[in-house]
Amino acid sequence: LVGYAVSQVATPAPGLEELMASIHTTVDALFARADTNGNGIFDKADLTSVFTEYDSDANHLVSEAEFVSRFANNSAMMTPVAKGLFLNLDQDQNGELEARDTQLFFDKIDTNDDGTVDQQEFSSYFTKLFEVLIVYAIKGQQTTPSS
């Protein structure tokens, strides 16, 4: 959904503290970019703006390729994160993001059901998601020596 991609995330140091700091920095930057109107909350106007930005061919659908390209911004570390996020956003699992998918996703992260997503709601959701996806990305980059 909201990549406005963090242009790059440095490969985190092996320590948990450094990894968490990297995730928090990434999520904070993501919120700042997702809040397209700068009002301090992620609302449906921001959602529409982000969706339109990701729909590079203007067909009212965002393909996985469009999403990953825009979100990951050619970052090897962020590509698996972008793919995982796309799968999470694609609520009907049809391989494309549509307005319905983004609305269902928005409703999921609007935990207090007030029609907006404040920074705490946004950060809580994306921090948990990124923890899983970044660990997955790191594991995917590791190679196992042959015995």
Side-chain angles (χ1 to χ4, degrees):
L1 161 71
V2 230
Y4 275 80
V6 178
S7 58
Q8 275 201 38
V9 173
T11 302
L16 180 60
E17 187 174 313
E18 291 86 0
L19 176 60
M20 291 307 297
S22 176
I23 290 171
H24 287 291
T25 299
T26 300
V27 170
D28 288 347
L30 186 59
F31 181 81
R33 290 193 168 104
D35 178 18
T36 60
N37 57 15
N39 66 354
I41 57 173
F42 181 65
D43 54 28
K44 292 179 184 181
D46 295 319
L47 179 65
T48 300
S49 180
V50 170
F51 184 84
T52 301
E53 192 70 30
Y54 274 71
D55 183 15
S56 60
D57 62 6
N59 68 348
H60 305 288
L61 301 169
V62 177
S63 68
E64 182 176 353
E66 286 173 310
F67 185 86
V68 170
S69 173
R70 178 78 175 154
F71 187 89
N73 197 26
N74 299 316
S75 167
M77 173 62 87
M78 291 305 290
T79 296
V81 172
K83 287 181 179 184
L85 181 55
F86 179 86
L87 292 173
N88 190 267
L89 294 169
D90 185 13
Q91 297 288 299
D92 61 10
Q93 301 298 301
N94 69 349
E96 297 176 312
L97 300 181
E98 305 154 301
R100 176 167 165 69
D101 291 314
T102 56
Q103 183 59 55
L104 289 170
F105 180 75
F106 185 89
D107 292 344
K108 181 166 59 171
I109 64 175
D110 179 16
T111 57
N112 65 3
D113 296 321
D114 68 353
T116 63
V117 175
D118 63 30
Q119 189 163 3
Q120 176 60 40
E121 289 170 303
F122 188 96
S123 295
S124 176
Y125 180 82
F126 278 98
T127 297
K128 290 174 189 169
L129 181 63
F130 277 30
E131 286 171 0
V132 172
L133 295 176
I134 289 176
V135 167
Y136 172 76
I138 291 168
K139 287 187 177 220
Q141 290 181 348
Q142 295 173 343
T143 57
T144 306
S146 299
S147 301

